[in-house]
Amino acid sequence: MARFLRPLLWGTTYTRLLHLWVPMLFVSVWLYIDATRPWVPALMLIPLGLIPAVRRGEGVQARFMLAPGERGGEDTAFSVAPSAGPRDRWRTVLWLEARMLLGVTASMVTVWLPMFAVDLTRSALGYWPSGDPVIRLLDPHWSSALLIPLPLLVLYGAVVGLGELITALARRLLGPSASERLAALEERTEQLLERNRIARELHDSIGHALTVAVVQAGAARAAGDAEFTARALTAIEETGRAALEDLERVLGVLREADRPVSARPTLTDADRLLESARSSGAKVDAEVSGPVEKVAGPVSREGYRILQEALTNVLRHAGSVPVRVRIEVRDGTLSLEVRNPLPDGGSGAGRGSGLRGIRERAALLGGSARTGPHEGDWQVHAELPLH
């Protein structure tokens, strides 16, 4: 029983009822002006619904009166954008007509049923209402007492049922159009891509710094030389500081979504990566050709991250080995290659998210990347279009 009566305690039940009553204000005013043509208000709603801004107003009302407790009053099932085309306009017209029809029904039910319950009560007490032919059929009069709960139950069912019905119609007729759903999907896709990009940023930057620190610390302990140890500590400090800067930048983006992203490192900063690899013991032979400084920002930044991940893999899986780095800008393409000898008995690299991230970065820019053994070396080769 308590579960059955629970809707009486919901504020949504009464905001929906209020939403149903609103059209009756318009109808009542017209009936006061001209009661001989009650169909005119329904006719007047047609040109009103064709106004694009009306859809926005109806969507706002539906969002805050039909589902005020859902998602903090921000139920996205109701569109709050103006009509984008003829389909939206006619859906709005249909909604206004349905709202008026249900509003008239709700008003009649909420007025007549309580009056009928009062008349039944008076009849049970021996007072015969003169204007109700239904009650006059009851004989003896005390039998009216048995029927008093009936109109109240019907009233309860009508209020709750009409509220549910008007909400379902609103979701159907005031819901997002195809273009709005597509825009929402695109926005969600952009958010997911941004999260993936941030995850790759952290993986590449922090992973590189930790790899350099581990390699440098191990080499310093094995060397037992004070001068080498000092150089190793300096390299660890510089790499750690750069990683902290990257981490702070990424965290700043997460804290303030609207703040412009500060400049990320590009291929013009590749010397920092090369020196970091050399200080970790790798023998890096680098060759850069073409106008690298003129490469577009997105391409140059992703190229830097690909180079960073490739060098990190060399240090992590091959150690202090000769590394050949080739960066070339020619014919509208940025070509980046990192090669190193395969370690004895090994494949030269892991199979984690790093190599997958390299291929994903290249694919997002419309390019391609190959990773794997090639002519006795481990090779990372990426081709990125400049436009």
Side-chain angles (χ1 to χ4, degrees):
M1 187 66 178
R3 183 177 180 181
F4 175 73
L5 297 177
R6 192 175 301 167
L8 292 176
L9 303 177
W10 294 345
T12 303
T13 301
Y14 303 102
T15 57
R16 288 174 177 176
L17 181 60
L18 179 60
H19 186 270
L20 286 166
W21 278 344
V22 168
M24 276 305 297
L25 299 176
F26 174 58
V27 175
S28 299
V29 171
W30 175 258
L31 291 178
Y32 179 78
I33 297 174
D34 187 356
T36 62
R37 292 182 292 178
W39 46 266
V40 171
L43 190 64
M44 295 173 63
L45 291 179
I46 297 177
L48 183 65
L50 296 177
I51 301 174
V54 170
R55 184 175 182 81
R56 182 198 295 272
E58 292 296 317
V60 171
Q61 289 184 60
R63 175 173 291 189
F64 289 98
M65 297 185 73
L66 298 182
E70 299 181 24
R71 304 180 192 179
E74 295 294 331
D75 193 336
T76 55
F78 307 117
S79 173
V80 292
S83 299
R87 179 180 174 83
D88 285 349
R89 293 188 179 95
W90 286 110
R91 288 172 69 196
T92 306
V93 170
L94 184 58
W95 157 253
L96 291 176
E97 299 288 355
R99 183 182 177 186
M100 174 172 286
L101 177 61
L102 292 178
V104 171
T105 303
S107 299
M108 293 176 61
V109 165
T110 53
V111 171
W112 182 76
L113 286 176
M115 292 177 60
F116 185 56
V118 171
D119 286 345
L120 286 173
T121 303
R122 296 184 63 194
S123 174
L125 296 176
Y127 298 96
W128 288 92
S130 58
D132 198 325
V134 175
I135 294 180
R136 287 189 169 275
L137 297 176
L138 298 175
D139 189 26
H141 66 82
W142 53 263
S143 63
S144 301
L146 302 177
L147 299 178
I148 292 175
L150 182 60
L152 299 179
L153 289 175
V154 174
L155 175 63
Y156 168 77
V159 169
V160 176
L162 289 173
E164 292 290 342
L165 179 58
I166 193 68
T167 303
L169 282 174
R171 295 184 193 279
R172 181 80 176 182
L173 299 175
L174 296 180
S177 62
S179 59
E180 290 172 330
R181 288 194 297 269
L182 180 59
L185 180 61
E186 290 177 348
E187 182 180 357
R188 174 62 176 166
T189 301
E190 288 295 327
Q191 292 175 350
L192 292 176
L193 289 175
E194 180 67 10
R195 290 180 182 179
N196 288 334
R197 185 189 68 78
I198 290 175
R200 288 196 301 267
E201 289 278 313
L202 290 175
H203 172 273
D204 295 346
S205 179
I206 306 303
H208 174 77
L210 291 176
T211 299
V212 170
V214 170
V215 172
Q216 290 281 8
R221 184 176 59 182
D225 181 81
E227 183 177 352
F228 182 86
T229 300
R231 291 200 302 272
L233 291 174
T234 300
I236 292 173
E237 179 185 5
E238 292 176 352
T239 305
R241 185 178 293 110
L244 285 174
E245 291 175 357
D246 285 344
L247 180 61
E248 182 61 29
R249 176 184 52 76
V250 173
L251 292 178
V253 172
L254 292 175
R255 294 190 196 103
E256 301 180 47
D258 297 331
R259 192 180 73 178
V261 181
S262 58
R264 290 186 285 155
T266 63
L267 284 176
T268 57
D269 304 307
D271 288 342
R272 188 177 75 179
L273 288 178
L274 301 177
E275 288 303 319
S276 177
R278 291 188 181 106
S279 63
S280 298
K283 304 173 182 63
V284 181
D285 174 23
E287 179 181 331
V288 181
S289 60
V292 176
E293 68 282 353
K294 294 183 180 179
V295 176
V299 178
S300 188
R301 288 192 291 266
E302 296 305 312
Y304 177 93
R305 292 306 186 191
I306 290 174
L307 175 61
Q308 184 180 55
E309 179 60 30
L311 291 175
T312 300
N313 281 338
V314 172
L315 296 173
R316 182 181 296 140
H317 301 288
S320 301
V321 297
V323 183
R324 284 172 290 170
V325 176
R326 300 289 183 270
I327 302 173
E328 182 179 19
V329 179
R330 186 179 63 180
D331 299 332
T333 302
L334 169 64
S335 178
L336 192 151
E337 183 180 74
V338 178
R339 300 176 68 97
N340 63 277
L342 286 169
D344 295 336
S347 61
R351 300 182 181 274
S353 60
L355 297 180
R356 184 173 65 250
I358 289 176
R359 293 189 290 269
E360 288 175 352
R361 287 180 185 275
L364 284 174
L365 292 173
S368 62
R370 301 190 306 272
T371 60
H374 184 262
E375 298 179 354
D377 291 338
W378 179 267
Q379 178 195 57
V380 174
H381 184 89
E383 298 278 346
L384 307 178
L386 298 181
H387 303 289

